[in-house]
Amino acid sequence: MDLFNHRLRLHADPSRVVVRPFHIAWGGGNGAPPSRTERLVGEVLAMSPQEARDQLEAVLKDFEARHWQTRRVFMTRYDQIEDLLKLDGSKISDEKRQLIGAYFCHEYSYAAAALMNPSAVPHFDQTGIQPGSQRILMSMRSVGEGHISSVAFREGIINDQNQLRLAPEPPFATATDVHGWGEYEVPSGPITVHRHRDSTLSGTVIFPITQAQSKGLEDMRIVQFTHDDGAVEWIGTYTAYDGSGIQSELMRTRDFRAFDLVPMTGAAARNKGMALFPRKVAGQYMMIGRQDGENLFLLKSDSLTHWDEGEKILTPVYPWELVQIGNCGPPIETDEGWLLLTHGVGAMRKYSIGAALLDKNDPSKVLGRTKQPILAAKDQDREGYVPNVVYSCGAIRHGDSLFLPYGIADSSIGFAFVKISELLAAM
């Protein structure tokens, strides 16, 4: 099989930073001593106008060139503190309000440790694209301080000559925000986050918000989903991690401006690695999951958000996958059936990527699978944070080929193209 590996690699980049709220323990009230928050605000309010101006200028000198609309960010953060402490902002100068906001912000390097495990879908905007080309959108797992994972995005174009051109990253990255929550409220259940109105998607990062997500949003498998009425929605399945437990959740969006983050219910939602089919099959929503950490299951449901245990359809067979198998993203529809990319773990915990073909009308029927991996960790792709790993969260069909972005050693991202006909012939 002729698999074309693109020379481009994406790596961790500690220079990619966003401004995040800096939370300081809240207390005080009812006769108790002032909290640290109250003390800090009091210190700024006690400054002379010139001292506050000088301090703000020093902060802006260090950070204004590193972030988008830094003064507005500080003012937005001040508004949250004002609401918390019931301050009268009309009596506080602009300089002091910005300075207070700055004390309650910090920089976070969201991809300092790793950039990995990408998933690709058709971009929502295909206007002006040349024949033989397709605009794409990738979600990526970015890992920063504290090994906390977030979701980053990157846009690009692929063509029928196995060429990939990524849109340049903007100089400033911005985090999505959530409206309507107080400073020390931790939301639970479904929540909606919003892209900054001036930010491109390639400069947008979705951070953990809820307690269930507090230690990371991991390995989003995103799919362009077509509903029965023809409406299109982009849906990503991912793992929410709180440091000890995991929960499968959905990211849902129709415009990539607002993103609904929705916990799933049911027995299957306690596991990782769920991948949604791009449409209903035989009148039901379907997913591929790894319910026991070892085998692959077909899950069926009448609801996008509730998933119970499914039917085992694939077990480890070949040496390169004997430890365990999992999916490498949502199934891809072809004339021959559903093409499912898989990953297998073999001796020395070496990861490889293979494929299986499922019946189009009854995906519980396995029509074929690759005896040998189509991609395995080797040479320079073996080295990284977790050696000997190649891993994808979703490929995209482009003409008669697959475009396959993949994670390398839990550290970086590579790209490959493979002919679908050759992939099917290898089964």
Side-chain angles (χ1 to χ4, degrees), residues 96-130:
K96 288 188 177 182
R97 284 188 288 168
Q98 290 180 47
L99 187 57
I100 289 171
Y103 273 107
F104 291 89
C105 291
H106 73 120
E107 276 192 339
Y108 182 82
S109 182
Y110 64 89
L115 197 63
M116 59 188 186
N117 300 357
S119 181
V121 286
H123 198 282
F124 54 88
D125 180 10
Q126 298 291 336
T127 58
I129 204 73
Q130 296 295 318

Side-chain angles (χ1 to χ4, degrees), residues 223-226 275-282 284-286 288 298 313-314 329-342 355-369 397 402 420 423-424 427:
V223 67
Q224 180 179 299
F225 188 89
T226 303
L276 181 67
F277 282 68
R279 62 171 175 84
K280 281 185 174 179
V281 182
Q284 289 187 295
Y285 299 106
M286 293 193 183
I288 299 294
L298 178 68
I313 60 170
L314 283 166
I332 298 165
E333 189 166 7
T334 69
D335 292 339
E336 294 79 6
W338 295 102
L339 184 57
L340 176 67
L341 294 180
T342 64
L357 186 68
L358 311 180
D359 186 86
K360 186 177 288 192
N361 298 315
D362 181 4
S364 67
K365 297 179 180 178
V366 179
L367 304 180
R369 58 195 293 183
R397 182 174 184 174
L402 288 185
I420 294 174
L423 188 55
L424 295 175
M427 294 185 184

Side-chain angles (χ1 to χ4, degrees), residues 240-252:
Y241 178 57
D242 67 3
S244 58
I246 59 172
Q247 162 75 50
S248 284
E249 298 188 350
L250 295 176
M251 183 280 293
R252 306 181 65 173

Side-chain angles (χ1 to χ4, degrees), residues 144-344:
E145 178 184 347
H147 201 74
I148 294 175
S149 297
S150 55
V151 178
F153 297 99
R154 196 70 185 269
E155 298 155 292
I157 294 175
I158 55 176
N159 66 17
D160 53 9
Q161 302 299 312
N162 293 341
Q163 293 177 327
L164 164 67
R165 187 173 78 251
L166 293 180
E169 285 186 304
F172 307 104
T174 57
T176 55
D177 58 20
V178 57
H179 302 156
W181 292 93
E183 170 72 3
Y184 293 97
E185 293 179 277
V186 179
S188 60
I191 193 168
T192 301
V193 297
H194 302 266
R195 172 156 62 106
H196 192 286
R197 62 182 177 272
D198 296 322
S199 177
T200 65
L201 193 55
S202 291
T204 296
V205 186
I206 301 178
F207 280 96
I209 297 291
T210 68
Q211 179 58 42
Q213 304 167 354
S214 57
K215 295 301 181 181
L217 307 175
E218 300 180 354
D219 298 343
M220 180 175 287
R221 290 157 163 82
I222 192 168
V223 67
Q224 180 179 299
F225 188 89
T226 303
H227 291 273
D228 288 344
D229 62 0
V232 174
E233 181 180 12
W234 283 262
I235 302 177
T237 54
Y238 62 91
T239 302
Y241 178 57
D242 67 3
S244 58
I246 59 172
Q247 162 75 50
S248 284
E249 298 188 350
L250 295 176
M251 183 280 293
R252 306 181 65 173
T253 183
R254 292 181 185 269
D255 58 6
F256 286 89
R257 283 286 174 184
F259 305 84
D260 297 326
L261 307 181
V262 184
M264 287 187 276
T265 58
R270 299 192 302 266
N271 299 283
K272 293 184 175 184
M274 300 174 70
L276 181 67
F277 282 68
R279 62 171 175 84
K280 281 185 174 179
V281 182
Q284 289 187 295
Y285 299 106
M286 293 193 183
M287 287 231 205
I288 299 294
R290 194 180 69 198
Q291 304 317 108
D292 59 2
E294 182 180 351
N295 306 286
L296 281 175
F297 292 73
L298 178 68
L299 315 177
K300 301 177 182 180
S301 179
D302 295 323
S303 167
L304 271 171
T305 58
H306 183 88
W307 297 88
D308 289 318
E309 300 290 359
E311 174 185 0
K312 186 188 299 184
I313 60 170
L314 283 166
T315 62
V317 173
Y318 302 111
W320 57 274
E321 60 182 10
L322 285 182
V323 175
Q324 67 187 48
I325 57 174
N327 71 70
C328 277
I332 298 165
E333 189 166 7
T334 69
D335 292 339
E336 294 79 6
W338 295 102
L339 184 57
L340 176 67
L341 294 180
T342 64
H343 71 259

